[in-house]
């Protein structure tokens, strides 16, 4: 296996990444879209886009595993839907990751900059409060639409990633007709599949910067734990505002780095 070129980070830069990972975990647990913080942060400290994607996948895979186990213990995952779509989520993510690896760093950086605001807009779309079921709306939705959803969002997760959980939740809620709890739990199963498959591709191509990825993963778990507790008392409104401010600052800096 090829060894990736090392990236030299100062202690201050590493602390910045750890803080960003903590905030990403906190935001993911309350409002979703934590990758909109962690991904730009890795680029800002000078980690090349390919390494940034692989490092983010390492962190996200561990964080998603913790969330997945929580939902599984609370029986909030619709396994019938998972059985139909998990292969397509896995395959789509591998295809997306391979596509990202074949894209040069400069082009990938510009693509990421374009995708960030789009991901932010879709992440903040209001979810319907309509009470829906814990079953697919129809056999057509289950066997025809689920594979399409999982392949498309899996590809996006492998190629880029931020906002994937929100997109999958919304698709399961609006297209398959699941209630928000069932959609959220089932989305975690698909997210885990796409994260792990994408991570394997990046590991095999030596595109994970472990010096940053490991402490970021630990911080991300801590942020998830704290965020889930605060969410019960404060709600997501405060976190969504914080995410918008942080994203605006990071987007402006990335615009300067890659275009100006």
């Amino acid at each position: 296996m090829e060894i990736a070129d090392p990236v030299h980070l100062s202690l201050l830069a590493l602390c910045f990444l750890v803080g960003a990972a903590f905030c990403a975990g906190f935001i993911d647990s309350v409002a979703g879209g934590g990758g909109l913080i962690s991904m730009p942060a890795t680029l800002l400290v000078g980690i090349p886009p390919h390494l940034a994607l692989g490092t983010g996948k390492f962190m996200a895979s561990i964080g998603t595993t913790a969330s997945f186990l929580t939902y599984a213990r609370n029986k909030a995952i619709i396994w019938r839907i998972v059985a139909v779509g998990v292969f397509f989520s896995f395959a789509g993510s591998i295809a997306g990751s391979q596509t990202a690896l074949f894209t040069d760093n400069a082009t990938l950086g510009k693509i990421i900059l374009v995708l960030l605001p789009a991901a932010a807009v879709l992440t903040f779309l209001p979810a319907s409060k309509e009470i829906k079921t814990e079953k697919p709306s129809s056999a057509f939705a289950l066997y025809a639409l689920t594979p399409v959803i999982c392949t498309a969002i899996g590809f996006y997760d492998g190629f880029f990633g931020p906002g994937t959980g929100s997109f999958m939740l919304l698709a399961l809620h609006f297209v398959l007709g699941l209630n928000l709890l069932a959609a959220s739990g089932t989305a975690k199963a698909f997210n885990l599949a796409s994260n792990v498959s994408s991570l394997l591709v990046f590991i095999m191509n030596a595109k994970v910067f472990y010096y940053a990825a490991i402490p970021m993963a630990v911080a991300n778990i801590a942020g998830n734990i704290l965020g889930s507790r605060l969410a019960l008392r404060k709600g997501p409104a405060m976190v969504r505002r914080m995410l918008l401010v942080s994203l605006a600052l990071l987007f402006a800096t990335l615009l300067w780095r890659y275009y100006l």
Side-chain angles (χ1 to χ4, degrees):
M1 183 173 63
E2 179 189 358
I3 303 298
D5 292 332
V7 176
H8 300 288
L9 291 180
S10 66
L11 180 59
L12 181 61
L14 181 60
C15 290
F16 170 73
L17 288 179
V18 169
F22 178 86
C23 291
F26 181 90
I27 289 167
D28 263 333
S29 66
V30 179
L36 294 167
I37 294 295
S38 58
M39 172 58 67
T42 55
L43 294 171
L44 287 177
V45 299
I47 297 178
H50 290 128
L51 272 181
L53 288 172
T55 300
K57 286 301 171 192
F58 183 93
M59 180 194 73
S61 295
I62 294 177
T64 303
T65 298
S67 298
F68 168 78
L69 292 175
T70 299
Y71 279 105
R73 284 196 298 267
N74 287 276
K75 299 180 180 179
I77 297 176
I78 311 303
W79 294 106
R80 181 185 178 192
I81 299 175
V82 174
V84 172
V86 68
F87 168 78
F88 297 96
S89 183
F90 193 92
S93 181
I94 290 178
S97 298
Q98 292 286 4
T99 302
L101 288 172
F102 284 122
T103 307
D104 66 87
N105 273 322
T107 301
L108 185 59
K110 293 180 179 180
I111 292 174
I112 289 174
L113 183 57
V114 171
L115 289 175
L116 275 172
V121 170
L122 291 175
T123 297
F124 290 119
L125 284 177
S128 170
K129 294 183 179 180
E130 178 186 355
I131 303 250
K132 298 193 177 184
T133 70
E134 293 184 357
K135 298 179 181 179
S137 57
S138 67
F140 176 79
L142 175 60
Y143 295 109
L145 298 182
T146 298
V148 174
I149 291 170
C150 290
T151 301
I153 298 180
F155 183 92
Y156 169 83
D157 194 19
F159 184 82
F160 182 45
T164 297
S166 298
F167 304 156
M168 181 63 76
L169 188 157
L170 291 172
L172 294 177
H173 179 60
F174 288 113
V175 179
L176 268 65
L178 300 184
N179 64 44
L180 290 177
L181 178 61
S184 181
T186 306
K188 289 300 179 185
F190 291 133
N191 290 162
L192 180 59
S194 60
N195 274 328
V196 170
S197 57
S198 178
L199 175 62
L200 291 175
V201 172
F202 284 111
I203 288 177
M204 291 174 62
N205 289 273
K207 297 301 182 183
V208 179
F209 186 35
Y210 294 101
Y211 176 72
I214 293 175
M216 286 178 73
V218 174
N220 188 258
I221 293 174
N224 268 289
I225 294 173
L226 177 61
S228 61
R229 292 177 178 176
L230 287 180
L232 296 175
R233 301 199 303 265
K234 301 291 186 180
M238 174 188 67
V239 180
R240 288 176 183 266
R241 287 194 294 269
M242 182 180 70
L243 177 57
L244 283 175
V245 172
S246 300
L247 179 62
L249 294 173
L250 292 170
F251 179 79
T253 307
L254 282 174
L255 180 65
W256 176 82
R257 174 186 287 273
Y258 285 105
Y259 282 94
L260 304 179

